[in-house]
Amino acid sequence: MLLGITRFEIRYQLKNPVFWVAIAVFFLLGFGLTASENVQVGTPGSVHENAPYAIAIATAILTIFYLFIVTAFVANAIVRDDSSGFAPIVRATSVTKTQIVLGRFLGGLIVAWLGYLAVPLGMAVGSSMPWVDPETVGPQKLAYYAWNFAIFAMPNILLTSAILFALATTLRSMMASYIGAVVLVMGYLVTVSIAGQKIEYRETFARFEPLGNGALRETTRYWTQADMNGRLVDLAGLLLFNRLFAIALAIAFLGLTLWRFSMTERAPSKRRLRKLAKRDARDARLSAVPALLDGGRVTARDATPSRLVQFMTRLRIEVRQVLTSPGLIVLVLFAIGNSGAGLWLGQSTYGTTNHPTLAATVGTIRGTFSAILLMIAAFYGGELVWRERDRRLNEIIDSTPVPSWVMTVPKILAIFVVLLVVNVAAMLTGMAYQLIGGAPQLGVLQYLGWFIVPAAIDGLLIAVLAVVMQVLSPNKYVGWGLLFVWFVGSIFL
């Protein structure tokens, strides 16, 4: 039964367009790293494009961003039964919870490993392009790609899959899983930028940093150019401990998933019970109202519906939904934490803390928010554009006498409101940093002119791009992939 569930999951995911979009995106990433002269990932200029050291660095670093693809594979596997309504049928069979959990996890994990093979394949193809300078390319050896994939990609994807699988099993929500993926990625980047740069924490960071980047840096710290171009990383010492630590963490999270997963229906939460009670009370009040038979006195308020009224109604609905969603609270808290970490724990060029001047504070906040705003816009763009289809209301809405722009423009403005709220939270964090640091003036008008207004313009453009990508895509995962390709292309080009 376990193998049957695993095979079914692999077949299902291989037919999923997300798998092929992930292959295309990460193939282009690997291709761009070796075929473009504009991009280098932590390698000195004298190191070959296809050197084993360069392949190891790229393989380890790109697993951080592959975490979003892993969410679509692994988290979707355990949430899919509940979202499709098929869960009661599965629970009524003789299959055990261990078979369900391990079968779904192994199927998603194998597909995630297969999808990440696009990175070394893209690097190999990119380094073979005719426009690449032959002086920057070394010999093509399968061992360079296979060894680094085995010791970096496979344990990293195993760990991230186990974490996201546990999160999806606990919360039973794809949205919560994607928000968790965003928090994990940005939290990891902030932690690396802070702890990874301090000499006193270097060895400890290399030992316990779960994705192996610190251990790789520490192991190869004193390598020469010849070592980087022709030597494989030895799986021993610090790197061996780090890889075993990552696998142990993955097993721990998978054990947590097995412990938390239940074959019985989950009881509604207290919040859900309160909502059901309010709904029953409302239905009771409505049913108590006596029926009126004089229907001729009922008239429409407006004979011809106003486009402005329709637009404002949709705008209120979209904005209210994003402002009351639990994801916004998480994003605002993350914006505060990310800005605070960059301000209080960041260092200047000469290794000393910055004085809390207005220009330095605004510059630090803006520098930490470019990628975050794109991730937020991409996430909400997919959720808002495809919300009606996910809830099977699209045909009802399509039959109403409402033009397309009345439905689309409010979604753009709702994303813009989310980005504006996140930027305001970052601005308030910067002002708090200045007050605590003893700044002589806050400069509220300067914040508005230097940060809020430019960020609002950028946010509006990003919101338009996110919605356009989703409208032109066959599903939201393809839209996310296209937006990611645009982001990567803007870096390479």
Side-chain angles (χ1 to χ4, degrees):
M1 185 65 73
L2 175 62
L3 293 178
I5 295 175
T6 303
R7 286 195 299 267
F8 169 81
E9 193 63 34
I10 293 174
R11 289 196 302 268
Y12 178 87
Q13 297 293 355
L14 290 179
K15 296 177 182 178
N16 194 336
V18 179
F19 175 76
W20 301 105
V21 171
I23 287 181
V25 169
F26 280 84
F27 177 86
L28 291 176
L29 275 175
F31 182 86
L33 288 176
T34 54
S36 174
E37 297 180 355
N38 300 328
V39 180
Q40 285 185 343
V41 185
T43 56
S46 57
V47 177
H48 293 155
E49 299 283 358
N50 60 339
Y53 176 77
I55 296 172
I57 291 289
T59 303
I61 288 179
L62 290 180
T63 55
I64 303 169
F65 304 99
Y66 194 67
L67 191 142
F68 299 104
I69 306 299
V70 170
T71 307
F73 293 148
V74 178
N76 178 58
I78 201 68
V79 174
R80 189 171 62 243
D81 289 338
D82 290 308
S83 60
S84 63
F86 200 70
I89 300 177
V90 174
R91 296 188 181 103
T93 63
S94 60
V95 65
T96 65
K97 75 171 187 177
T98 302
Q99 292 172 338
I100 289 180
V101 171
L102 292 183
R104 293 290 169 82
F105 177 77
L106 290 176
L109 176 64
I110 292 171
V111 172
W113 280 339
L114 291 175
Y116 198 71
L117 286 173
V119 172
L121 179 62
M123 295 185 71
V125 174
S127 60
S128 303
M129 291 294 101
W131 62 79
V132 178
D133 187 357
E135 296 294 330
T136 64
V137 179
Q140 294 280 14
K141 293 185 178 180
L142 179 62
Y144 292 170
Y145 300 94
W147 177 251
N148 290 311
F149 187 88
I151 66 173
F152 291 109
M154 295 184 71
N156 288 358
I157 295 175
L158 172 65
L159 175 59
T160 54
S161 298
I163 293 174
L164 293 170
F165 196 69
L167 184 64
T169 303
T170 303
L171 300 178
R172 302 289 178 91
S173 170
M174 282 298 295
M175 178 178 289
S177 300
Y178 280 113
I179 293 175
V182 172
V183 173
L184 284 174
V185 170
M186 303 312 299
Y188 175 83
L189 295 177
V190 170
T191 304
V192 169
S193 64
I194 296 170
Q197 305 301 323
K198 295 183 180 293
I199 298 177
E200 59 270 27
Y201 301 144
R202 182 179 293 168
E203 184 174 351
T204 302
F205 176 78
R207 188 177 296 273
F208 295 103
E209 185 265 312
L211 298 184
N213 291 289
L216 176 61
R217 297 285 189 182
E218 194 65 22
T219 302
T220 60
R221 181 171 300 279
Y222 302 106
W223 277 18
T224 63
Q225 175 185 344
D227 291 331
M228 294 180 181
N229 283 329
R231 179 180 173 183
L232 291 171
V233 182
D234 296 327
L235 187 59
L238 193 66
L239 184 60
L240 177 60
F241 176 87
N242 179 270
R243 300 292 77 196
L244 293 176
F245 175 70
I247 295 174
L249 275 181
I251 295 174
F253 277 104
L254 188 56
L256 175 65
T257 305
L258 283 170
W259 175 62
R260 291 286 300 170
F261 185 81
S262 176
M263 294 290 288
T264 59
E265 289 286 344
R266 178 179 295 182
S269 62
K270 293 182 179 180
R271 181 172 177 268
R272 177 65 176 169
L273 290 175
R274 287 195 298 268
K275 292 179 64 175
L276 292 175
K278 290 181 181 179
R279 187 180 68 181
D280 293 341
R282 183 177 65 252
D283 293 343
R285 288 195 303 269
L286 292 176
S287 61
V289 177
L292 296 178
L293 301 179
D294 191 7
R297 290 160 46 182
V298 178
T299 58
R301 189 184 66 177
D302 297 315
T304 303
S306 169
R307 298 303 183 214
L308 179 60
V309 172
Q310 292 176 340
F311 174 78
M312 295 305 298
T313 302
R314 289 301 310 173
L315 181 61
R316 284 195 298 269
I317 292 174
E318 298 288 353
V319 172
R320 183 171 65 246
Q321 286 184 342
V322 297
L323 291 182
T324 56
S325 65
L328 182 62
I329 300 175
V330 175
L331 293 174
V332 170
L333 293 176
F334 177 74
I336 295 173
N338 185 63
S339 302
L343 291 170
W344 270 283
L345 301 177
Q347 291 184 335
S348 68
T349 306
Y350 301 101
T352 58
T353 56
N354 285 322
H355 186 71
T357 60
L358 181 61
T361 304
V362 173
T364 301
I365 294 175
R366 291 202 66 178
T368 58
F369 260 67
S370 57
I372 296 176
L373 293 181
L374 180 65
M375 293 169 65
I376 294 173
F379 171 75
Y380 274 102
E383 291 299 321
L384 293 182
V385 171
W386 292 91
R387 184 184 57 215
E388 288 82 7
R389 288 179 174 83
D390 291 341
R391 289 161 176 78
R392 298 179 177 87
L393 296 174
N394 55 305
E395 294 183 354
I396 298 176
I397 293 177
D398 291 342
S399 64
T400 58
V402 178
S404 298
W405 66 269
V406 171
M407 301 297 298
T408 305
V409 175
K411 298 180 186 296
I412 297 175
L413 296 179
I415 298 173
F416 171 72
V417 170
V418 172
L419 298 178
L420 191 62
V421 169
V422 173
N423 284 320
V424 170
M427 182 191 74
L428 295 177
T429 306
M431 296 174 66
Y433 168 75
Q434 287 185 281
L435 286 174
I436 296 173
Q441 60 179 0
L442 294 179
V444 178
L445 295 179
Q446 285 79 4
Y447 266 107
L448 295 176
W450 297 353
F451 177 60
I452 296 298
V453 173
I457 296 174
D458 293 342
L460 182 59
L461 295 176
I462 293 174
V464 172
L465 178 64
V467 172
V468 168
M469 289 292 189
Q470 294 294 340
V471 170
L472 298 177
S473 302
N475 58 62
K476 61 183 174 183
Y477 303 108
V478 174
W480 286 338
L482 292 176
L483 198 60
F484 187 70
V485 170
W486 170 83
F487 177 68
V488 173
S490 64
I491 296 175
F492 288 157
L493 302 177

